[in-house]
Amino acid sequence: MITLVRRVTAACVLGAALTACAATPHQAPRVARPAPSATSGTSAPPTLAPGPGGLTPVFKHGSRDHGRTVALTFDADMTADQGARAAAGEHFDNPGLIAALRALKVPATVFMTGRWAEEYPDQARSLGRDPLFEVANHSFSHYAFTDDCYGLPTVSGDRMRADVERAYAAFRKAGVPDARPYFRFPGGCYDRRALKALTPVGVTAVQWDVVSGDAFATDAQAVSRQVLEGVRPGSVVVMHCTRSAAPTTERVVRTVVPELRARGFRFVKVSALIGS
């Protein structure tokens, strides 16, 4: 989901921009619907019924009335053409963040690009096999599914489905046994054409209602404050799992998790919010 925002002070603008970019259809009833391109496990994770016109459904947050739950989500971003930068030493992973989540015993959902899974197969496999986490789809290439999405390259309409399915194939190759049938659009940008293109994949598109502002941020306190001010029961918080583009996230997690627990919040995966 990484965008070109470079200051936490711009995060509110980012949130408004993403909301405008991703006008959400009416949230559909929850049903258990398998995503054949995503999982091969024995149990079908909860998904939403198709949206208006049979389009891919969109989930932004859970119920405000079913307890003080919150889902922390982390985008493991890497575009298809960043291999040379990784080879030169740039870190698109964040082992310290994952270690912090494990130490704090925080369930979380990682929206992973297929390219990230190819670059870090051991980490992808470790996340996919750890019951504390669930791996979901963030496309293969991290190319935008609409035009004019924060300067991201764009995947053509006739390649959208293939890009998502290629990511699931990369997860399987890395050893992720049961990637979830949830998809996060790069940049959070989507339109009717994108929702229609992904309908055959059987995924639920997952957005968010709390923008952490960790992308390119250097002030962990400001990011933490933004998260703590934004969280409500059922919230989905978007953060990142990439050291080079979100260097403060581990510190943010170590701050907000104890504080939210002190406020009575319980951390859950996205699947728990969708299924509640």
Side-chain angles (χ1 to χ4, degrees):
M1 177 275 198
I2 289 288
T3 68
L4 300 181
V5 177
R6 299 201 177 263
R7 294 185 178 85
V8 172
T9 53
C12 291
V13 176
L14 170 62
L18 292 179
T19 301
C21 179
T24 305
H26 176 70
Q27 194 155 296
R30 294 166 177 79
V31 298
R33 184 169 62 96
S37 299
T39 66
S40 57
T42 57
S43 61
T47 59
L48 298 185
L55 299 180
T56 296
V58 180
F59 180 79
K60 289 184 65 177
H61 60 77
S63 170
R64 304 299 192 191
D65 304 318
H66 292 170
R68 297 171 74 80
T69 55
V70 57
L72 300 186
T73 69
F74 299 89
D75 291 356
D77 295 343
M78 189 172 182
T79 61
D81 56 357
Q82 288 179 332
R85 288 167 56 181
E90 184 170 348
H91 293 285
F92 296 92
D93 62 340
N94 194 338
L97 168 63
I98 300 304
L101 292 168
R102 284 174 167 146
L104 293 165
K105 296 180 172 57
V106 180
T109 303
V110 178
F111 286 89
M112 187 182 296
T113 66
R115 184 64 189 86
W116 194 98
E118 287 187 344
E119 189 69 30
Y120 305 106
D122 292 344
Q123 293 186 55
R125 181 168 56 255
S126 176
L127 288 166
R129 296 183 178 183
D130 187 336
L132 195 64
F133 301 102
E134 61 186 5
V135 172
N137 197 310
H138 195 33
S139 80
F140 178 83
S141 61
H142 202 260
Y143 285 9
F145 281 58
T146 66
D147 296 328
D148 194 22
C149 183
Y150 305 103
L152 290 172
T154 304
V155 61
S156 62
D158 62 345
R159 296 296 302 165
M160 291 177 182
R161 175 180 176 180
D163 187 84
V164 175
E165 293 184 331
R166 185 180 178 189
Y168 281 122
F171 302 156
R172 291 191 292 270
K173 183 176 181 180
V176 176
D178 193 23
R180 303 287 88 179
Y182 309 137
F183 177 73
R184 175 164 285 165
F185 286 97
C189 302
Y190 68 90
D191 54 19
R192 182 180 178 85
R193 181 184 69 157
L195 294 176
K196 183 177 181 180
L198 297 190
T199 297
V201 188
V203 294
T204 293
V206 176
Q207 296 289 99
W208 55 84
D209 65 317
V210 178
V211 177
S212 70
D214 67 339
F216 304 107
T218 56
D219 187 340
Q221 289 186 338
V223 177
S224 299
R225 185 166 54 249
Q226 178 146 310
V227 172
L228 293 171
E229 290 175 353
V231 166
R232 299 170 59 194
S235 280
V236 176
V237 182
V238 60
M239 292 191 276
H240 296 86
C241 187
T242 45
R243 272 182 287 175
S244 62
T248 67
T249 309
E250 179 187 344
R251 283 177 284 161
V252 171
V253 164
R254 292 186 181 276
T255 298
V256 303
V257 166
E259 177 60 28
L260 287 173
R261 281 177 169 157
R263 296 181 186 183
F265 279 93
R266 180 171 59 90
F267 294 96
V268 298
K269 303 171 193 174
V270 165
S271 56
L273 287 185
I274 293 177
S276 65

